[in-house]
Amino acid sequence: MVQLIATPSNALADEPVSIRAIGLLPYQIVTIMATVKDEKDNLFQSKAFYKANEAGEVDLEQASALGGDYVGVHPMGLFWSLKPKKAFQRLIKKDVMNTPLCISLDLYDRVYLQDSVRIPPKDSQIVQRWFVSPGVKREQVREGRVRGALFLPPGKGPFPGIIDLFGFIGGLVEFRASLLASHGFAVLALAYFAYEDLPKTLLEAPTDLGYFEEAANFLLAHPKIQQPGIGVISVSKGGEIGLAMACYLKQVVATVCINGPSIVSDIPLKYRDLVMTPIRQTLERARIHVSGALCYRHCTDDLQIKLNPQSILPVEKAQGKILFIVGENDECLDSKSHAQRAMDQLRRHGRSNGRMLAYPGAGHLIETPYSPFCLASWMSVLGRPLLWGGDPIAHTAAQEHSWREIQKFFRQHLPQSGSKL
């Protein structure tokens, strides 16, 4: 009997799944397809074509895909190669607490190319991908100006505390915070615009570092947070803010900056009496990708940075450790140059508290393992799609490796605690 087996069929979204097909004819050609819908009913699909071995089996940990959305041996290829049916959609889990992503795996006994022609699969499996492990709690945060969601691991604690920041996507993004909490960290997913009573856009006023200091103080005042310092994980525009927090806030002892600038960009940065003037992007350098997405990689002028050194973040003031994670094929920002500039600054000031992990072939959106590779997605702030860049295979390898390194970094540099890390 033909069977498709996925193990485990119910697990955290950052855990690998073993996929096997058995009961096939020797050397039979098959298609394995993955399908998922997000909370807005947007459809994402992937497929790969395989040849069964002499025993009539296909094991994705050993078998090489002959064609489809990827070629070669990629055990989790069906997950990271999920593509939107509607162009420029990005798969982001919104409700992380109550429902998993339910990915349907279907096995067909031929090359299945035409989605419009409906044929029944020989076997199917549903794989549930959760973003919280059992016992993780979510607390809505509305404290002073601070807005977000705090994820707490099971147990008495205290736990190492982390603030999680995203970029121009805005709103409250929780999937990374909830997964980190599932690994023993207490994480505040922090919104800073386009959420509840916060500013609708970032352009309304200077970015006030005091807001993020308030969030850090809120976290440290929580009875389940380990004293005396916290971590920050940040990406893109959030990476700029995270780096500024490392420079100016004594509460921050460990910072992960993923593809963020080392300058104040586009919007002034304010902290107490200090106002840092931004370096504006030179939009005439923007390039339009063949897909129609905008490429911003070349929009920050190095000459402008040299002429405006007061806009460079003073990373040499950071008392804590900094981990720069960069994709060398980032098409949104020349993030490696920014990280290298920061590393050079630290070196010139005799500091050794920075480290850079550079990933050839990785793009801008380095996220949690097995997240679908996203080349470009719609940005409402621009009114058009933005190109993120990256090679799918290199990018997914970067996501797996960097996720392990991020957890290792926080375990090493955040205060020890009662969490089961």
Side-chain angles (χ1 to χ4, degrees):
M1 186 174 70
V2 174
Q3 270 188 292
L4 185 61
I5 303 164
T7 312
S9 60
N10 191 344
L12 281 175
D14 62 355
E15 293 180 37
V17 177
S18 171
I19 300 170
R20 293 172 60 229
I22 61 173
L24 302 165
L25 296 174
Y27 311 113
Q28 183 175 359
I29 300 295
V30 297
T31 300
I32 305 178
M33 179 186 292
T35 305
V36 67
K37 286 185 177 180
D38 66 12
E39 285 107 330
K40 291 184 178 178
D41 233 25
N42 293 308
L43 184 68
F44 297 78
Q45 278 189 327
S46 62
K47 65 179 68 171
F49 312 128
Y50 290 93
K51 179 187 279 190
N53 62 18
E54 67 276 6
E57 298 182 359
V58 173
D59 183 344
L60 267 60
E61 292 186 9
Q62 300 170 5
S64 180
L66 306 175
D69 286 307
Y70 56 90
V71 174
V73 180
H74 299 287
M76 291 295 288
L78 290 166
F79 293 78
W80 56 252
S81 68
L82 283 161
K83 294 181 177 68
K85 282 296 178 183
K86 183 181 176 184
F88 304 122
Q89 296 296 310
R90 180 177 166 195
L91 184 59
I92 296 180
K93 188 73 173 78
K94 299 288 188 183
D95 176 8
V96 297
M97 290 299 294
N98 301 303
T99 59
L101 269 182
C102 291
I103 299 177
S104 174
L105 299 176
D106 296 304
L107 175 68
Y108 298 90
D109 61 354
R110 67 191 76 175
V111 173
Y112 186 16
L113 280 174
Q114 306 225 337
D115 296 343
S116 56
V117 180
R118 299 283 179 181
I119 61 171
K122 290 299 176 183
D123 197 23
S124 298
Q125 280 284 330
I126 300 292
V127 175
Q128 295 187 342
R129 307 290 280 166
W130 288 91
F131 287 81
V132 284
S133 60
V136 170
K137 293 180 180 175
R138 178 188 185 275
E139 295 180 357
Q140 190 73 35
V141 176
R142 295 184 183 92
E143 187 75 25
R145 293 186 296 166
V146 178
R147 300 290 180 267
L150 176 61
F151 292 88
L152 294 167
K156 292 181 180 179
F159 308 105
I162 298 171
I163 289 176
D164 187 7
L165 293 169
F166 278 79
F168 269 109
I169 188 173
L172 184 59
V173 185
E174 304 179 21
F175 69 88
R176 188 169 60 195
S178 60
L179 280 174
L180 281 171
S182 300
H183 293 290
F185 302 95
V187 189
L188 172 61
L190 184 62
Y192 56 101
F193 75 102
Y195 182 73
E196 292 190 351
D197 55 351
L198 295 173
K200 297 295 179 203
T201 73
L202 272 181
L203 306 175
E204 290 181 21
T207 302
D208 182 7
L209 206 58
Y211 173 79
F212 302 92
E213 185 173 40
E214 195 176 324
N217 289 334
F218 159 79
L219 197 55
L220 280 169
H222 195 285
K224 287 202 169 186
I225 304 300
Q226 179 68 35
Q227 303 290 325
I230 62 162
V232 173
I233 182 168
S234 52
V235 64
S236 196
K237 180 65 178 181
E240 174 192 323
I241 295 167
L243 200 55
M245 292 172 74
C247 296
Y248 293 107
L249 305 186
K250 65 182 185 300
Q251 300 93 326
V252 177
V253 299
T255 303
V256 174
C257 179
I258 305 169
N259 288 327
S262 58
I263 58 170
V264 177
S265 60
D266 290 324
I267 304 151
L269 178 74
K270 175 179 178 291
Y271 182 56
R272 297 180 182 172
D273 296 330
L274 171 72
V275 178
M276 292 184 72
T277 305
I279 289 175
R280 306 282 180 184
Q281 295 202 67
T282 51
L283 295 182
E284 65 272 20
R285 292 170 179 257
R287 301 178 185 180
I288 300 173
H289 186 251
V290 66
S291 66
L294 274 180
C295 170
Y296 270 15
R297 179 184 176 95
H298 309 280
C299 289
T300 305
D301 185 357
D302 283 343
L303 178 60
Q304 203 179 354
I305 294 172
K306 286 176 186 173
L307 294 174
N308 296 277
Q310 73 280 1
S311 300
I312 300 171
L313 288 166
V315 290
E316 65 276 4
K317 292 184 178 180
Q319 296 305 304
K321 301 289 185 178
I322 305 171
L323 175 63
F324 296 97
I325 292 175
V326 297
E328 295 189 9
N329 280 37
D330 184 348
E331 295 292 356
C332 181
L333 180 77
D334 188 356
S335 48
K336 187 176 182 182
S337 291
H338 281 273
Q340 191 60 61
R341 182 186 303 109
M343 291 291 292
D344 292 344
Q345 273 175 256
L346 290 171
R347 230 172 267 121
R348 283 198 305 272
H349 287 82
R351 307 295 309 282
S352 58
N353 55 328
R355 180 181 167 220
M356 178 170 67
L357 286 174
Y359 294 99
H364 189 70
L365 295 179
I366 298 177
E367 301 192 317
T368 53
Y370 320 121
S371 297
F373 169 70
C374 182
L375 179 68
S377 65
W378 187 262
M379 290 293 286
S380 55
V381 69
L382 297 174
R384 65 181 301 156
L386 191 59
L387 186 68
W388 306 117
D391 166 77
I393 292 171
H395 188 89
T396 198
Q399 292 190 151
E400 288 183 55
H401 184 267
S402 64
W403 188 239
R404 293 192 297 269
E405 291 297 313
I406 287 165
Q407 293 177 67
K408 194 188 303 180
F409 173 79
F410 282 135
R411 287 176 189 141
Q412 187 176 353
H413 299 300
L414 288 180
Q416 295 299 305
S417 69
S419 66
K420 296 176 181 177
L421 297 177

